[in-house]
Amino acid sequence: MKGTTFQRALGKGQQFLIDYKRPKLVNAILRNHIAYRWGRLTPVPVGYVSFAPTLRCNSRCIMCNIWGEDNVRLRVKELSYNQWLKVFSESKVLREVPPELPRNGVTGIGISGGEPFLYQDLVPLVQGLLELPHVRLVTIATNGQLTDQVVRGTEAILSRMASQKRLCIRFSLDGPEEIHDKIRGVPNAFQRTWATLQALAQLRQDHSQLEILTAAVVQPRNIDYISKFSHLLASQGVQFEWCVLQVAPFFRNENQDYGYNGYTPEQIQELICLCDLNKVYGMRQWLANPQKRPIHCFAGFASVYINYDGTVHPCQTMATNPERVMGNVVDQSFDAIWKSPQARVVRERVRKCTHSSCWSGCELAHTFIQWDMLQKLARILTLGRLDYYKIWGLKER
């Protein structure tokens, strides 16, 4: 038994060295811990760098009210693609973001919305980003309903991409056709999205740099269908992932009784099983006490979100909260904002943040990126006896 335990620990140690052999990644994670704990050093957003070129949207989702904003007003405040390219080309901080994360994960630039393909200059914007030496991956989150724009735009981007660069198109699919259409609030939404996905699947046969993902927002309306739907997509070779519905200022849904309170007790148990099966650590604890995050958030340290009008925020969830504004790239460079006294004030507010409904998706990933290295190292050095995730209640004992 001891030999087996030692061999298992040795194997994990070898994998740890493979995962964390990149000094740039280890340095960034440690810098963020020092910045979080003592306020020293400039953090590096290793979790995600995301921005929304537009908040205009052609969906009418029941769990999000961004689409209710005045599109004319939104468009007037949108940054031009040259302004966006200036942000990413001139920033030394963003060049410090490690290009690769453990287990083949990649830190890239995420483009969200609204619906990104409603942004007129999305194609030259993405082409310009992928021409920057330090940008290896761009991910575009889309509802996929604008089939012609998505297919033509993707073709144009791929035509100018270097072979070592990657483009990921991430489609929203919330369940079977009837369920998806009800959630997205648009007739035939599923059929249009599926047609777009199939067209890109054909395109991918000639372009290995293209990746295709589907993602669902798990919520009371579709929780009963997620498991079967994921198996159906897998049987057709479609990669599927999901996150749990967030009730947050950015989504304009805080006044809806459709978040945690919308689940039946049976659905809560289904959600727990779904999370346990997919090793979504901490969900069981968070569901038992939805007013408290299981571990502290690293938003603004390991992540950054830039809104359509240039305002810089620690995360997307709190992007409309004026107390979470670090600055605006129209007025200052990104690096000046990231290192500013105001950014330090916002990070301190993050450390004390009481917003507890974002134990999901990207807001969860950037925190675990910070803790995963320490968790693995502790388990290796103690031959598996010390497990921080179990101590903190993130895993069952």
Side-chain angles (χ1 to χ4, degrees):
M1 179 65 74
K2 289 184 178 179
T4 302
T5 302
F6 176 77
Q7 290 172 359
R8 190 182 301 115
L10 180 62
K12 290 182 178 179
Q14 291 172 340
Q15 184 61 55
F16 179 86
L17 293 175
I18 293 172
D19 285 347
Y20 294 101
K21 67 181 179 181
R22 307 173 185 90
K24 193 173 184 179
L25 171 63
V26 175
N27 177 64
I29 291 174
L30 293 177
R31 284 177 69 92
N32 290 349
H33 276 288
I34 293 171
Y36 191 94
R37 179 82 177 184
W38 294 289
R40 301 177 183 274
L41 302 182
T42 301
V44 181
V46 296
Y48 71 74
V49 178
S50 177
F51 73 98
T54 182
L55 290 188
R56 289 175 286 132
C57 191
N58 57 335
S59 288
R60 298 294 181 265
C61 302
I62 61 175
M63 70 289 191
C64 172
N65 292 307
I66 288 177
W67 55 267
E69 296 286 325
D70 184 342
N71 282 347
V72 175
R73 181 184 63 82
L74 291 176
R75 187 164 188 167
V76 169
K77 293 186 177 182
E78 291 174 1
L79 270 61
S80 69
Y81 81 95
N82 282 322
Q83 286 176 298
W84 285 117
L85 290 178
K86 182 179 179 182
V87 170
F88 288 96
S89 62
E90 294 183 352
S91 172
K92 293 181 179 179
V93 170
L94 296 179
R95 284 200 291 271
E96 288 298 312
V97 177
E100 296 184 9
L101 290 171
R103 304 288 183 184
N104 298 319
V106 176
T107 296
I109 295 175
I111 299 180
S112 62
E115 168 52 50
F117 281 94
L118 287 174
Y119 184 70
Q120 182 176 356
D121 293 317
L122 182 67
V123 170
L125 170 57
V126 177
Q127 289 173 332
L129 289 172
L130 286 168
E131 289 173 357
L132 298 175
H134 60 283
V135 177
R136 298 190 188 181
L137 166 71
V138 172
T139 299
I140 305 174
T142 176
N143 59 35
Q145 295 180 39
L146 303 172
T147 302
D148 290 342
Q149 290 96 312
V150 175
V151 175
R152 288 200 307 267
T154 303
E155 287 178 329
I157 295 167
L158 291 170
S159 69
R160 286 180 48 179
M161 274 181 61
S163 59
Q164 72 273 21
K165 301 294 179 107
R166 290 161 59 186
L167 173 67
C168 177
I169 307 297
R170 186 172 181 266
F171 291 96
S172 297
L173 275 178
D174 292 314
E177 183 173 349
E178 182 180 358
I179 299 300
H180 178 80
D181 288 358
K182 286 182 179 178
I183 288 176
R184 294 289 156 173
V186 178
N188 302 316
F190 183 94
Q191 291 184 10
R192 286 197 293 270
T193 300
W194 191 255
T196 309
L197 190 154
Q198 293 299 309
L200 291 197
Q202 290 291 323
L203 191 61
R204 185 176 54 183
Q205 294 181 7
D206 299 320
H207 298 277
S208 59
Q209 311 104 306
L210 176 62
E211 298 180 7
I212 300 173
L213 296 176
T214 59
V217 179
V218 177
Q219 52 195 286
R221 185 64 67 90
N222 67 357
I223 179 66
D224 299 323
Y225 302 89
I226 290 297
S227 293
K228 289 184 178 179
F229 186 62
S230 65
H231 292 314
L232 175 63
L233 291 178
S235 69
Q236 300 187 39
V238 178
Q239 189 171 345
F240 178 74
E241 56 188 33
W242 51 269
C243 66
V244 179
L245 170 67
Q246 299 183 58
V247 177
F250 177 78
F251 300 107
R252 283 79 165 170
N253 62 359
E254 289 185 295
N255 294 325
Q256 294 181 201
D257 191 19
Y258 188 64
Y260 173 81
N261 295 328
Y263 294 106
T264 65
E266 293 77 16
Q267 288 179 329
I268 291 290
Q269 290 304 310
E270 173 67 19
L271 183 55
I272 290 174
C273 292
L274 192 64
C275 292
D276 287 348
L277 181 64
N278 291 273
K279 296 182 179 180
V280 181
Y281 295 134
M283 185 60 71
R284 181 184 293 269
Q285 183 183 3
W286 179 78
L287 288 169
N289 186 2
Q291 301 305 315
K292 182 180 179 181
R293 289 177 60 94
I295 56 177
H296 291 296
C297 179
F298 265 82
F301 297 86
S303 65
V304 64
Y305 169 77
I306 310 176
N307 215 358
Y308 73 105
D309 58 355
T311 51
V312 179
H313 305 266
C315 64
Q316 186 182 54
T317 302
M318 303 297 287
T320 60
N321 187 330
E323 294 186 352
R324 299 296 191 272
V325 176
M326 294 179 167
N328 192 302
V329 294
V330 175
D331 306 317
Q332 293 177 280
S333 70
F334 176 85
D335 288 8
I337 293 170
W338 192 249
K339 299 176 183 179
S340 68
Q342 176 61 18
R344 289 194 289 272
V345 169
V346 171
R347 291 189 187 106
E348 183 60 25
R349 288 170 179 163
V350 167
R351 292 179 73 245
K352 300 176 180 178
C353 182
T354 58
H355 191 72
S356 61
S357 65
C358 57
W359 192 251
S360 176
C362 299
E363 314 306 342
L364 178 57
H366 69 67
T367 292
F368 275 112
I369 284 170
Q370 286 297 134
W371 291 111
D372 197 48
M373 182 181 74
L374 301 182
Q375 157 77 352
K376 289 178 179 177
L377 184 60
R379 287 184 57 76
I380 291 167
L381 294 177
T382 63
L383 299 181
R385 294 185 180 89
L386 181 59
D387 190 322
Y388 285 124
Y389 290 174
K390 286 184 178 180
I391 292 173
W392 297 334
L394 302 178
K395 294 166 58 176
E396 291 293 290
R397 292 181 179 274

